[in-house]
Amino acid sequence: MNNLIQDLKTRTIGLIALAVTVCFTAIACSGGGSTQAADGIAPEVVVDYVHTVLLADRTAYTKHVVNRLKTLEGKEKADGVVPAEATEGWDQTGGVPLPAQMFRLGSEVAAETADEKGIGFTYNLISTWNINDSHAPKSEFEKKAMEEVNKTGEPYKEYQEIGGQKYFSALYPDKAVAEACVTCHNTHPVHLERYPDKKFEMDEVMGGVIINLPIEET
């Protein structure tokens, strides 16, 4: 488990290094609100790079770690081969984190490392049907973006300002890629209480991955 967390931390710091080394300076194009990057990679491309890595790691963790465990939230899995449990209370029970929890662990490492480096690069999970309150859409941007992603199933990208700092933000659809995703949410007590009529299915949008990149305007 320690090796897993260390690998996650290494990958997360690598993502932040990418964000730091890429030039985020943007120049407003004439005749509209679109932008283009100057002396570097366009922020639209950078967020795609970052999301690709985040999605790959989370999908691999779900399919090749969680799906291979014999127990999922106290329930035996017929196809499990590893004598361990994926559970919300993993740190108290000696199990392993659920996919959303593993993702949040990485986002916390990213936030800490970004603070140390003096940049505002962050990423997180948000959802209309959140179980963890920290994953609820909070700002007007997040609410609008989440509504659009739920409707279209496509990424939503836009500039926004937070505390005087300009960001290029992108929300990508977070879809159910494994049965563990669907089972955990549909049977979770909080989900059943808050969203009794919502039953997720495979490949359905369950929420979104939001990435915020700080932009320095010239």
Side-chain angles (χ1 to χ4, degrees):
M1 184 62 210
N2 288 337
N3 289 338
L4 195 62
I5 297 296
Q6 184 58 44
D7 182 60
L8 173 67
K9 185 173 182 179
T10 300
R11 287 174 178 271
T12 302
I13 293 174
L15 285 175
I16 296 171
L18 170 65
V20 172
T21 55
V22 173
C23 175
F24 295 142
T25 303
I27 302 175
C29 296
S30 59
S34 60
T35 58
Q36 63 184 19
D39 300 324
I41 304 174
E44 293 92 337
V45 177
V46 177
V47 291
D48 283 347
Y49 287 166
V50 173
H51 177 254
T52 297
V53 177
L54 293 176
L55 181 63
D57 279 357
R58 188 182 181 198
T59 301
Y61 177 75
T62 302
K63 289 185 174 181
H64 304 302
V65 177
V66 173
N67 279 3
R68 288 174 54 81
L69 304 183
K70 288 189 174 182
T71 311
L72 176 63
E73 287 289 24
K75 298 178 180 179
E76 295 297 318
K77 293 167 67 268
D79 56 347
V81 296
V82 179
E85 178 185 18
T87 174
E88 189 173 12
W90 64 274
D91 51 344
Q92 285 86 39
T93 64
V96 301
L98 297 171
Q101 292 176 306
M102 180 61 82
F103 193 94
R104 188 170 69 249
L105 288 170
S107 70
E108 290 170 356
V109 173
E112 292 171 1
T113 308
D115 285 344
E116 292 173 1
K117 293 181 177 293
I119 60 174
F121 170 73
T122 63
Y123 69 88
N124 197 15
L125 290 173
I126 62 174
S127 175
T128 302
W129 306 278
N130 62 288
I131 292 175
N132 187 319
D133 289 339
S134 66
H135 293 167
K138 297 178 178 61
S139 67
E140 288 304 313
F141 172 85
E142 290 184 351
K143 293 174 183 177
K144 178 182 177 182
M146 193 71 262
E147 182 179 343
E148 289 297 317
V149 169
N150 287 338
K151 184 189 306 180
T152 66
E154 298 295 328
Y156 181 88
K157 302 175 182 179
E158 192 174 290
Y159 287 91
Q160 65 168 325
E161 187 172 306
I162 304 173
Q165 169 65 54
K166 189 171 184 178
Y167 290 86
F168 184 79
S169 298
L171 182 68
Y172 295 84
D174 186 29
K175 298 182 179 181
V177 296
E179 188 60 38
C181 304
V182 174
T183 301
C184 281
H185 278 264
N186 286 346
T187 60
H188 196 286
V190 175
H191 181 91
L192 293 174
E193 179 182 351
R194 292 180 176 178
Y195 324 106
D197 298 326
K198 181 62 179 178
K199 301 297 180 185
F200 289 113
E201 298 179 358
M202 286 292 293
D203 298 320
E204 184 178 1
V205 174
M206 302 181 71
V209 176
I210 188 162
I211 300 171
N212 298 305
L213 298 179
I215 300 293
E216 181 181 350
E217 290 189 293
T218 59

Coordinates of all heavy atoms in Angstrom, one line a residue, residues 20 31 37 40-41 43 46 70 103 122 129 135 140 174 178 212:
V20 N 4.1 23.4 -14.6 CA 5.0 24.5 -14.3 C 5.9 24.8 -15.5 O 6.1 26.0 -15.8 CB 5.9 24.1 -13.1 CG1 7.0 25.2 -12.9 CG2 5.1 24.0 -11.8
G31 N -11.1 40.1 -32.2 CA -12.4 39.8 -32.8 C -13.2 38.7 -32.0 O -14.1 38.1 -32.6
A37 N -1.9 30.6 -27.2 CA -0.7 30.7 -26.3 C 0.4 31.4 -27.0 O 0.5 31.4 -28.2 CB -0.3 29.2 -25.9
G40 N 4.7 29.1 -26.1 CA 4.5 27.8 -25.3 C 3.3 27.1 -25.9 O 2.8 27.3 -26.9
I41 N 2.9 26.0 -25.1 CA 1.7 25.2 -25.5 C 0.4 25.8 -25.0 O 0.3 26.3 -23.9 CB 1.9 23.8 -24.9 CG1 3.2 23.2 -25.3 CG2 0.7 22.9 -25.3 CD1 3.5 21.9 -24.6
P43 N -3.0 26.4 -23.4 CA -3.6 25.8 -22.2 C -4.6 24.8 -22.5 O -4.8 23.8 -21.8 CB -4.2 27.0 -21.4 CG -4.3 28.1 -22.4 CD -3.2 27.9 -23.4
V46 N -2.6 21.7 -22.8 CA -2.0 21.3 -21.6 C -3.1 20.5 -20.7 O -2.8 19.5 -20.2 CB -1.5 22.5 -20.8 CG1 -0.9 22.0 -19.4 CG2 -0.4 23.2 -21.6
K70 N -10.9 -9.4 -3.7 CA -11.9 -10.3 -3.4 C -13.1 -9.7 -2.7 O -14.2 -10.3 -2.7 CB -11.4 -11.5 -2.5 CG -10.5 -12.4 -3.2 CD -10.2 -13.7 -2.4 CE -9.4 -14.7 -3.2 NZ -9.1 -15.9 -2.4
F103 N -8.1 9.0 -6.2 CA -8.0 10.2 -7.0 C -7.9 11.4 -6.1 O -7.0 12.3 -6.4 CB -9.2 10.3 -7.9 CG -9.1 11.3 -9.0 CD1 -8.7 11.0 -10.3 CD2 -9.4 12.7 -8.8 CE1 -8.6 11.9 -11.3 CE2 -9.3 13.6 -9.8 CZ -8.9 13.2 -11.0
T122 N -4.5 23.0 -9.7 CA -5.3 22.1 -8.9 C -6.1 21.2 -9.8 O -6.4 21.6 -11.0 CB -6.3 22.8 -8.0 OG1 -7.2 23.6 -8.7 CG2 -5.5 23.7 -7.0
W129 N -24.2 14.4 -8.3 CA -24.7 13.3 -7.4 C -23.5 13.0 -6.4 O -23.3 11.8 -6.1 CB -25.1 12.1 -8.2 CG -26.1 12.4 -9.2 CD1 -27.4 12.6 -9.1 CD2 -25.8 12.7 -10.6 NE1 -28.0 12.9 -10.3 CE2 -27.1 13.0 -11.2 CE3 -24.7 12.6 -11.4 CZ2 -27.2 13.2 -12.6 CZ3 -24.8 12.9 -12.8 CH2 -26.0 13.2 -13.3
H135 N -16.9 17.2 -3.0 CA -17.0 17.0 -4.5 C -18.2 17.7 -5.1 O -18.5 17.4 -6.3 CB -17.1 15.5 -4.8 CG -15.8 14.8 -4.4 ND1 -15.7 13.4 -4.4 CD2 -14.5 15.2 -4.2 CE1 -14.5 13.1 -4.1 NE2 -13.7 14.2 -3.9
E140 N -20.1 29.2 -9.4 CA -21.0 29.3 -10.6 C -20.4 28.7 -11.8 O -21.1 28.0 -12.6 CB -21.3 30.8 -10.9 CG -22.2 31.5 -9.8 CD -23.5 30.7 -9.6 OE1 -24.1 30.4 -10.7 OE2 -23.9 30.5 -8.5
D174 N -16.6 12.4 -16.2 CA -16.1 11.2 -15.4 C -17.1 10.1 -15.6 O -18.1 10.1 -14.9 CB -15.8 11.6 -14.0 CG -15.1 10.5 -13.2 OD1 -14.4 9.7 -13.8 OD2 -15.4 10.4 -12.0
A178 N -15.9 0.9 -14.8 CA -15.9 -0.4 -14.3 C -17.1 -0.7 -13.4 O -17.7 0.3 -12.9 CB -14.6 -0.7 -13.4
N212 N -7.7 23.1 -13.1 CA -7.5 24.6 -13.1 C -6.0 24.9 -13.3 O -5.2 24.6 -12.4 CB -8.0 25.2 -11.8 CG -9.5 25.0 -11.5 OD1 -10.3 25.3 -12.4 ND2 -9.8 24.4 -10.4

